[in-house]
């Protein structure tokens, strides 16, 4: 690859530009361990075990492991596929993939890669190797890929991203200006408001604890608060003397503090994202925060909590998280729980009574009726003053 400068007539060196055609690559790697491998045999041809998702170039990818073969003709072979969740807003991409079987010490025992870059689009979002390795070879003692009735597959996805960009050509008289910095408009607004220089103009009470905030900021991030604070075409309450009860018997004070943290920073609170914590602290905080996000109709916060809970799935939490996913319609979290249970050989038996009770509680304290009632109560109080 080389740059070929083009010089304008008259040898005006200040008009010289250059261009370079290149194909940058983005690579991501994910290790997928299939525990109790012997239990996967006999699933049936064309049936697969799916890994948790991993991200490469802003896309979600999954590994599909076919223990009984991808098709009848390939029944004696293990198949491995790399699949992406293709959304309409994502452009088609070309990607290569490599699958490696790892031994118990992490060394590579068997590897195969795609012979070309495959196109992932709305027509086909899954490519792989039908005849990756024979079952007999995989299970042989000589290969040594099975350890403690488990196998580990390492998948590397390399995405090709074609683009053209202008390059500066080193010529006398050419002035090279740096690109403008990225926008800091939103960050500056958040920092300014969080400093408290703008007086708080609304107060909320949850479990006896009072929180102060800016009504416009809170309403902008939640349709629930928008209806509460600006419903019926005008502000429902004026002045800081009005104390709004917003817990609804569902949201705890700690969860509401996390909601405000998200509203002002667009991030989960540290208690929910901390890693390596002992006990159930991060798990419990995130679970309560998801319930609060659902109550206040904050879809982005709800999805971020569900994604975080997906990292906390284990034998002691998978059943509760499965119930939570069904109650709050978190399809990705529900599927992650099913995948985990399948890999571990667990039989999920969600408590239907708990699910029905949670759904009834959610519906009877839904956002619509309480918000409207509080709007009318606050409005009448303001009128009396």
């Amino acid at each position: 690859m080389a740059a070929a400068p083009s010089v304008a007539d008259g040898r005006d060196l200040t008009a010289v530009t250059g261009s370079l055609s290149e194909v940058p690559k983005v690579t991501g790697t994910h290790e997928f361990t299939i525990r109790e491998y012997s239990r996967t045999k006999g699933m049936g041809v064309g049936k697969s075990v799916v890994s948790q998702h991993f991200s490469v170039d802003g896309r979600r990818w999954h590994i599909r492991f076919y223990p009984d073969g991808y098709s009848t003709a390939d029944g004696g072979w293990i198949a491995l596929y790399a699949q992406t969740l293709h959304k309409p807003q994502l452009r088609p991409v070309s990607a290569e993939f490599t699958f490696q079987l790892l031994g118990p010490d992490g060394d590579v025992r068997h590897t195969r890669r795609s012979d070309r870059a495959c196109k992932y689009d709305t027509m086909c979002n899954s490519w792989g190797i039908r005849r990756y390795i024979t079952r007999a070879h995989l299970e042989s003692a000589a290969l040594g890929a099975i350890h403690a009735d488990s196998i580990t597959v390492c998948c590397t996805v390399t995405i090709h991203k074609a683009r053209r960009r202008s390059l500066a050509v080193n010529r006398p008289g050419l002035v090279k200006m740096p690109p403008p910095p990225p926008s800091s408009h939103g960050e500056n607004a958040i920092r300014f408001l969080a400093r408290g220089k703008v007086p708080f103009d609304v107060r909320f009470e949850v479990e006896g604890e009072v929180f102060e905030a800016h009504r416009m900021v809170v309403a902008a991030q939640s349709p629930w608060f928008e209806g509460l604070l600006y419903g019926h075409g005008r502000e429902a309450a004026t002045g800081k003397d009005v104390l709004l009860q917003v817990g609804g018997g569902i949201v705890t004070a700690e969860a509401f503090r996390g909601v405000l943290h998200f509203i002002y920073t667009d991030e989960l609170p540290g208690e929910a994202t901390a890693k390596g914590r002992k006990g159930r602290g991060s798990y419990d905080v995130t679970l309560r925060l998801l319930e609060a996000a659902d109550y206040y109709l904050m879809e982005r916060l709800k999805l971020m909590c569900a994604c975080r809970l997906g990292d906390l799935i284990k034998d002691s939490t998978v059943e509760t998280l499965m119930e939570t996913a069904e109650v709050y319609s978190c399809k990705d979290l529900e599927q992650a729980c099913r995948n985990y249970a399948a890999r571990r050989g667990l039989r999920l038996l969600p408590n239907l009574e708990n699910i029905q009770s949670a759904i009834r509680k959610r519906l009877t304290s839904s956002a619509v009726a309480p918000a409207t009632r509080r709007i009318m109560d606050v409005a009448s109080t303001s009128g009396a003053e």
Side-chain angles (χ1 to χ4, degrees):
M1 296 182 291
S6 57
V7 181
D9 293 340
R11 297 289 178 177
D12 181 1
L13 296 183
T14 61
V16 177
T17 61
S19 64
L20 175 67
S21 177
E22 63 175 11
V23 183
K25 298 179 180 180
V26 179
T27 298
T29 300
H30 182 75
E31 289 189 7
F32 178 29
T33 298
I34 298 97
R35 301 187 186 277
E36 298 185 341
Y37 160 76
S38 58
R39 293 172 62 92
T40 66
K41 295 190 294 184
M43 288 179 57
V45 174
K47 294 186 177 181
S48 63
V49 179
V50 185
S51 73
Q52 290 187 349
H53 76 267
F54 59 101
S55 296
V56 183
D57 192 33
R59 300 166 188 260
R60 286 189 173 187
W61 297 79
H62 300 269
I63 303 171
R64 285 191 174 272
F65 169 71
Y66 295 82
D68 293 329
Y70 184 84
S71 64
T72 304
D74 310 309
W77 295 76
I78 301 298
L80 286 169
Y81 274 66
Q83 179 179 2
T84 184
L85 179 62
H86 183 83
K87 297 181 178 180
Q89 65 268 29
L90 298 178
R91 294 181 178 179
V93 294
S94 295
E96 301 176 44
F97 47 85
T98 302
F99 293 111
Q100 296 175 318
L101 275 177
L102 305 182
D105 52 358
D107 59 327
V108 178
R109 301 300 175 91
H110 182 77
T111 182
R112 285 195 64 185
R113 61 175 296 173
S114 57
D115 56 1
R116 57 187 171 84
C118 302
K119 186 175 182 179
Y120 287 82
D121 54 19
T122 53
M123 300 297 294
C124 183
N125 68 340
S126 182
W127 291 87
I129 303 175
R130 289 192 178 191
R131 297 191 173 189
Y132 176 74
I133 189 173
T134 63
R135 186 180 296 108
H137 189 192
L138 172 64
E139 298 175 356
S140 66
L143 183 64
I146 299 180
H147 46 92
D149 198 21
S150 301
I151 62 174
T152 300
V153 177
C154 179
C155 174
T156 300
V157 175
T158 301
I159 298 176
H160 295 206
K161 300 182 66 176
R163 73 167 186 259
R164 296 182 66 86
R165 62 189 177 96
S166 296
L167 294 179
V169 178
N170 188 16
R171 292 288 187 271
L174 178 63
V175 179
K176 180 182 178 181
M177 296 297 294
S183 171
S184 58
H185 181 82
E187 183 181 349
N188 291 339
I190 290 173
R191 186 188 303 112
F192 176 69
L193 290 170
R195 286 175 178 173
K197 291 186 177 180
V198 179
F200 296 117
D201 55 3
V202 66
R203 295 194 306 161
F204 303 111
E205 181 179 354
V206 181
E207 291 187 329
E209 188 170 344
V210 177
F211 301 85
E212 291 186 318
H214 303 93
R215 67 173 59 242
M216 184 178 294
V217 177
V218 175
Q221 300 301 325
S222 164
W224 194 93
F225 282 108
E226 180 183 358
L228 176 66
L229 299 172
Y230 294 96
H232 300 282
R234 62 185 180 88
E235 293 189 15
T238 57
K240 291 178 58 177
D241 295 335
V242 178
L243 189 60
L244 303 178
Q245 308 282 341
V246 294
I250 293 181
V251 181
T252 64
E254 183 181 24
F256 190 77
R257 189 177 298 107
V259 168
L260 287 181
H261 178 89
F262 171 80
I263 285 175
Y264 279 93
T265 66
D266 197 39
E267 296 177 351
L268 293 177
E271 296 83 352
T273 58
K275 295 182 179 180
R277 293 186 57 181
K278 296 181 179 180
R280 296 166 55 92
S282 179
Y283 168 79
D284 290 334
V285 168
T286 309
L287 201 59
R288 301 289 84 79
L289 192 57
L290 183 145
E291 294 173 352
D294 179 82
Y295 184 73
Y296 295 132
L297 307 178
M298 301 173 67
E299 192 64 22
R300 171 171 163 77
L301 175 58
K302 177 179 169 182
L303 292 176
M304 290 173 66
C305 291
C307 186
R308 172 59 180 148
L309 289 172
D311 297 332
L312 301 175
I313 299 175
K314 52 186 178 181
D315 290 4
S316 60
T317 64
V318 63
E319 196 165 292
T320 300
L321 289 179
M322 182 71 173
E323 295 175 0
T324 300
E326 292 186 5
V327 171
Y328 296 102
S329 302
C330 300
K331 299 301 181 184
D332 287 341
L333 179 59
E334 181 180 346
Q335 188 60 52
C337 291
R338 294 186 187 278
N339 293 346
Y340 178 89
R343 291 196 306 273
R344 298 284 292 163
L346 302 176
R347 186 181 178 187
L348 287 181
L349 294 174
N351 191 316
L352 295 179
E353 184 176 342
N354 288 347
I355 294 175
Q356 292 171 354
S357 175
I359 292 176
R360 283 195 300 269
K361 181 180 179 182
R362 182 181 178 217
L363 292 176
T364 54
S365 59
S366 63
V368 177
T372 303
R373 184 172 63 254
R374 291 174 188 136
I375 288 169
M376 298 306 294
D377 292 344
V378 173
S380 62
T381 303
S382 301
E385 294 177 350

